[in-house]
Amino acid sequence: METVLMALYSCTSVDVAGILKKKRQSFTGLRVSAQAEQVPLPPRVFTHIHLIYAVSGKGLSRKAVEDAVGLSKEKYCSVAPMLEKAVQIDYEIAYPDGEEES
């Protein structure tokens, strides 16, 4: 099950990094992690997945980051729509450097 989560956040991180580069955002770091809830008995399928995108860099456009994450989730990452047929996936974006623009 951990491998399934790794596939999800690996897929989306590649998308988000590529989109941010195309948008000429000078990000210095991107870390995607996941918290997941599972049913208690076998098969222990996921019931909820929460992705956390930690994006570092100076002068990042909050809109550009949100757009990149949204595009990955809705259009580019094929793992997310496949999993969403069975589990709710949501996300949050954190700015550890606190340097984002509005």
Side-chain angles (χ1 to χ4, degrees):
M1 294 304 283
E2 289 178 12
T3 305
V4 172
L5 289 178
M6 288 172 45
L8 175 59
Y9 63 73
S10 296
C11 176
T12 191
S13 65
V14 169
D15 293 339
V16 171
I19 293 166
L20 290 176
K21 285 180 185 175
K22 287 180 183 175
K23 290 181 172 277
R24 296 193 172 136
Q25 294 295 299
S26 57
F27 70 100
T28 57
L30 170 65
R31 186 181 73 244
V32 182
S33 57
Q35 298 171 343
E37 297 172 11
Q38 293 176 277
V39 295
L41 299 173
R44 297 198 59 220
V45 298
F46 292 125
T47 57
H48 181 249
I49 298 172
H50 181 73
L51 295 172
I52 301 127
Y53 295 82
V55 187
S56 302
K58 293 189 182 233
L60 290 171
S61 163
R62 183 178 292 265
K63 181 173 181 351
V65 174
E66 289 173 358
D67 288 349
V69 171
L71 281 168
S72 175
K73 185 177 187 301
E74 302 299 326
K75 187 173 183 179
Y76 293 112
C77 178
S78 56
V79 178
M82 183 178 62
L83 288 174
E84 284 183 321
K85 292 183 183 297
V87 62
Q88 176 189 355
I89 301 173
D90 61 24
Y91 65 87
E92 70 179 274
I93 301 169
Y95 300 92
D97 294 343
E99 298 280 341
E100 82 279 5
E101 297 175 352
S102 296

